[in-house]
Amino acid sequence: MSGSQKSQELQILAEILAHRDRKKALSFIRKRLQNSFNNEYEQLAWKGWERALQRQESMSLIFQLVNGMPAKDAKKAFQDLKKKRTEILIRDHTQTELSKQYIHQWVQLLGFYCEFCSE
């Protein structure tokens, strides 16, 4: 799957979350999980999102997004994860895939979410 397709999927998911539609988000995530992934870290992110929304885990970031996390808080989480992505690479170069794939999924999702919240 191309990078632009993956970005488009994250953009769609962010829009669904911004509209506070948990059932539609779960449906979209489950549909995505039926397709292949470039690596296990991307798949882990999507599986984690599914699990958190299914269980309605109030402390999970994705559940907070679907419940209308204020744009200010989402932007802070976005900046924190961007920083963490870089810190991981500095501290432990063996965690490149974690930084480039898993955390990158979150950074992109939060970036799109912030765009939809500011509109």
Side-chain angles (χ1 to χ4, degrees), residues 24 44-45 72 99 105 108:
K24 190 172 181 180
L44 285 172
K72 177 185 80 164
S99 176
Q105 295 290 300
Q108 280 195 298

Side-chain angles (χ1 to χ4, degrees), residues 27-37 43:
S27 175
F28 184 79
I29 290 169
R30 287 178 176 148
K31 183 178 176 186
R32 173 61 185 101
L33 284 169
Q34 292 173 3
N35 297 321
S36 63
F37 289 85
Q43 187 175 21

Side-chain angles (χ1 to χ4, degrees), residues 10 13-14 16-18 20-22 25-26 29 45-69 77 81 105-106 109-110 113:
L10 290 169
L13 178 58
I16 294 167
L17 294 170
R20 300 182 182 190
D21 192 337
R22 187 181 70 84
L26 265 172
I29 290 169
W46 286 83
K47 282 184 177 182
W49 296 336
E50 177 193 31
R51 180 180 178 169
L53 289 176
Q54 176 63 37
R55 294 180 176 194
Q56 299 184 42
E57 295 173 350
S58 62
M59 297 303 292
S60 70
L61 181 55
I62 191 114
F63 191 73
Q64 292 174 30
L65 293 175
V66 82
N67 281 317
M69 175 183 266
L81 279 174
Q105 295 290 300
W106 271 107
L109 181 66
L110 284 167
Y113 181 87

Side-chain angles (χ1 to χ4, degrees), residues 65-114:
L65 293 175
V66 82
N67 281 317
M69 175 183 266
K72 177 185 80 164
D73 295 340
K75 286 177 184 172
K76 181 176 180 343
F78 172 74
Q79 293 301 327
D80 289 347
L81 279 174
K82 279 177 52 177
K83 184 178 175 184
K84 180 171 271 325
R85 183 175 60 185
T86 304
E87 287 173 354
I88 287 172
L89 292 175
I90 292 169
R91 283 186 310 203
D92 186 355
H93 64 85
T94 64
Q95 297 297 318
T96 302
E97 290 301 309
L98 172 69
S99 176
K100 286 186 177 179
Q101 305 303 329
Y102 182 84
I103 295 177
H104 182 70
Q105 295 290 300
W106 271 107
V107 168
Q108 280 195 298
L109 181 66
L110 284 167
F112 290 132
Y113 181 87
C114 291

